[in-house]
Amino acid sequence: MNTHKKNSTALNIPRLVMMALVALTVSSTLVQCAKRGRPSGGVKDSIPPVLVRALPQNMTTEFEGEGFNLEFDEFVQVKNLQQQVVVSPPLNYPIEVYPTLRASKKFQVRFKDTLAPNTTYSVNFGNALVDFNEGNPYPYLTYIFSTGAAIDSLSLEGTLKDAQLPKPDNFVSVMLYKRDSTFTDSTVYQKPPRYITNTLDSLKTFALKYLEAGTYELIGLKDANKNNRFDPLVDKIGFFNRPVQIPADSASAPVLTLFQEIPDARVLSTKLESPNRILVAYQGAREELTLRRITALPDSVPMRVLPVQGKDSLEIWHGAFEADSLAFVASNTRTGWADTLVVKMRKLKADTLVLAPVNRKNVLPTTPWRLQANVPITKTNPAKILVLDKDTLALPVRTDIDTLGNQLILNFPITTDQNYRVQLYPGALTDLLGHTNDTVQYKFSVNPPEDFGTLKVIPKTLRGGPATPVLVQLLNNDFEVERQQSGPAGLPYTFAFLEPKKYWIRIVEDINQNEAWDTGAYLMRRQPEPVHYFSEQVNVRPNWEIEQVVDYE
């Protein structure tokens, strides 16, 4: 019996192994099936939806309906319709698409406007129609129809540029206005164009299609309000210098340079910030604004107007006086605009004199050291200013006041690889309110020469020849000007003691030689001053000198 049991057990071992192998195989198969069933598995769908049919069919003439239908081969959803869709000629009301909030294979597109007779319309959906699973767009689906007997077939293509930046904005509208008896200079401010297209989020070129022959005004617009009209306070605009003839100019590839206009100068608001300071917010060019006090005050009451750095604001500083209010007349010297400003006086906390170094780090040996004051500086006493180097040697100091920037300028020898200590004793500065400074001390250092880089820029000759006045500018990653030199185009320009980093090189054709870039004006038909960028950023390294020839597009 025992032998029989042992033999029986021995005979069952292969059977048990076989059962275990089968179970392991089934388990492995189930695991693999589970893995294949995960959402992240498999080949990702990269195929966009396909339009199966349109009713009425695309390129229909004698169109009489209130809309059209679209049918796709898979479920599609609508995204960013109002931003992506472009209808040309523009309609008064946006198109309506049903369904909007759920995926479908069939869509109804409806017009709320009455369509114009004998007109070719195009509805470009941009990337608004995407498949439901992966979001693959049907790129730039365009539905074309005509309310007349034929489809207009002419076109115009061109290029966009930005007046100040290397690349133009996304979603720029390009428009054609019919230059007929109703067109005036104000039309672009008041009415939508005859034809429109949009560069959407990728294109730097434009193509206006299905056009009728005629004479047009060509406009580019970064349309912030999306109303197909030029709003100069918020929109960038670009315009072609002459009327465009279609089809004669169809092969000319016009270039539109977009710029932000400077609005007419005027005061927007006033606010009493302290007993001696009034904040005046304005728009436009500060140089065109004048402020004239009409409240009678004694001659002993001092007054100063200062710009607020980095803001379109002015500060009116004044001494103490006995009155309930202070009145000014603000006027624009160019346009003749004028307004009376009345500021009510009330009790507020008074300003105290505060000083701060303009540069705490990366002080350069090529520029004088400056202190920024918050209250207008009226007087300095150099005898109460002490500057010591790292060997505690007193340095000769000459002081100046930058009245526009309200800064104290200290002129003393600054060299590389050196430490400095600046000491201001009481009475070194006197402000408009008669206050003087307390004892203050500042320390700073200048890096050794091997920590700086040098960049030599050689601009190629411009269209105006080597004598063309230019600004050679070095810009940071935010396209802010860090260093600038001016002169004729044919000269080399050396920028020494540069902080090691990447710079953009920009050449401005300084046509009016005011050492500043000037924007354009649509009504005056004035283009912005041309700018030219080197194609890529230049990497300035420490203890290196780079020579860069700047070619233009």
Side-chain angles (χ1 to χ4, degrees), residues 11 55 65 81 137 164 182 184 245 247 381 415:
L11 290 171
L55 295 174
L81 181 70
Q164 285 186 289
T182 65
T184 66
Q245 303 289 336
N381 186 347
T415 59

Side-chain angles (χ1 to χ4, degrees), residues 290-366:
T290 62
L291 295 173
R292 179 174 57 86
R293 191 187 75 230
I294 56 177
T295 299
L297 294 177
D299 294 339
S300 59
V301 177
M303 191 160 291
R304 178 85 63 83
V305 179
L306 291 178
V308 179
Q309 299 299 319
K311 296 182 179 180
D312 290 339
S313 299
L314 300 170
E315 288 179 336
I316 303 176
W317 288 88
H318 56 83
F321 61 89
E322 295 294 332
D324 294 333
S325 62
L326 196 59
F328 296 85
V329 172
S331 58
N332 184 315
T333 56
R334 181 178 60 84
T335 66
W337 169 88
D339 194 12
T340 300
L341 314 175
V342 179
V343 181
K344 297 290 185 180
M345 297 293 108
R346 65 184 191 277
K347 290 185 178 181
L348 294 171
K349 185 179 179 180
D351 292 295
T352 57
L353 179 61
V354 178
L355 302 172
V358 174
N359 289 326
R360 292 182 180 273
K361 297 181 180 179
N362 303 320
V363 177
L364 302 177
T366 55

